[in-house]
Amino acid sequence: MSEIAVVREGSGPEVLLVHGGASPRTTWAGLDPLADRWTLTFVHRRGYPPSPPTERQDFEVDAVDLAPLLAGRPHVVAHSYGVLGTLIAAAAAPGRVRSLTLIEPPLNYLAPDDPEVARLERIGDAVLTQGMDTDPADLREFLRVAGAPIGDGPLPEAVLAGVQRAHGARPTSEARPRLDAIRAAGVPVLVASGDHTPALERICDALAEALDGERSVHPGAGHFVAAAPGFIDRLETFLRLNPGHRPQPQPVR
């Protein structure tokens, strides 16, 4: 496969930014001031120019693409669908990650008995498998959760393009990253959310517990938590407190 595109800005320790269903520019709005002190490496997942096109969004492919980008042991910040490939890549080589900041991932299996989480999984998988043929009410509910700028009228062209790009993607319900490998290696983890959807809050609570990670909540920007008040300060504090993670030695079996 041809390589994906990355764009680097700033100087200092590297922070690898992995977007989800929205573009890097939309996802990471608000983090620009960090470039004064950090090297921000913006990943463009397949299907997002200038990276190569793809017939199908797939978190397993994302993990393969991300693996070589961990060679410099960056801090990694990932959002939504982008968290899935990030966790797979990090679990395969936890010593190559200084820290993980994980924002509102669709890891619905972590809250198996929660009816609101189950509903979120159902409508999310419907959008990925059916695209614009998804029940209109379910489609709009999912788009609002995902932070799409929609009202009561026709969907904007940019939103339609996003739905079409997501159509046929590998369903998030198939993702089972090796969280135990990340926790066992002692990777510092921050799990962040925007306090706009109870189901996502409970998923993030469960993920933080599974990874023995820190937890933070930043209302004000919906799903695009990176733009929420206070997030950039919380993130930079977390990065500075974890400058040189090394994996914990594992017992010989």
Side-chain angles (χ1 to χ4, degrees), residues 17-111:
L17 300 169
V18 186
H19 68 97
S23 69
R25 177 175 296 182
T26 297
T27 304
W28 306 120
L31 296 189
D32 290 347
L34 290 180
D36 292 339
R37 299 170 295 280
W38 306 83
T39 298
L40 302 182
T41 302
F42 296 88
V43 170
H44 293 252
R45 294 173 51 239
R46 292 185 183 274
Y48 294 80
S51 283
T54 183
E55 294 182 358
R56 184 193 193 205
Q57 297 289 315
D58 189 328
F59 49 80
E60 293 281 1
V61 174
D62 289 341
V64 173
D65 286 334
L66 292 171
L69 300 178
L70 303 183
R73 294 188 66 243
H75 297 279
V76 184
V77 183
H79 182 258
S80 196
Y81 195 94
V83 173
L84 307 181
T86 295
L87 286 173
I88 294 169
R96 302 176 79 185
V97 176
R98 290 184 189 270
S99 73
L100 289 170
T101 299
L102 311 171
I103 305 172
E104 296 201 349
L107 290 169
N108 305 293
Y109 78 96
L110 293 175

Side-chain angles (χ1 to χ4, degrees), residues 122-166:
R122 181 182 66 77
I123 64 175
D125 280 359
V127 172
L128 296 185
T129 56
Q130 301 172 35
M132 291 304 300
D133 291 331
T134 305
D135 175 83
D138 287 348
L139 176 59
R140 285 183 177 272
E141 179 181 352
F142 177 79
L143 290 174
R144 289 190 176 96
V145 171
I150 62 172
D152 296 328
L155 298 179
E157 289 187 10
V159 174
L160 290 172
V163 174
Q164 292 165 356
R165 180 167 48 204

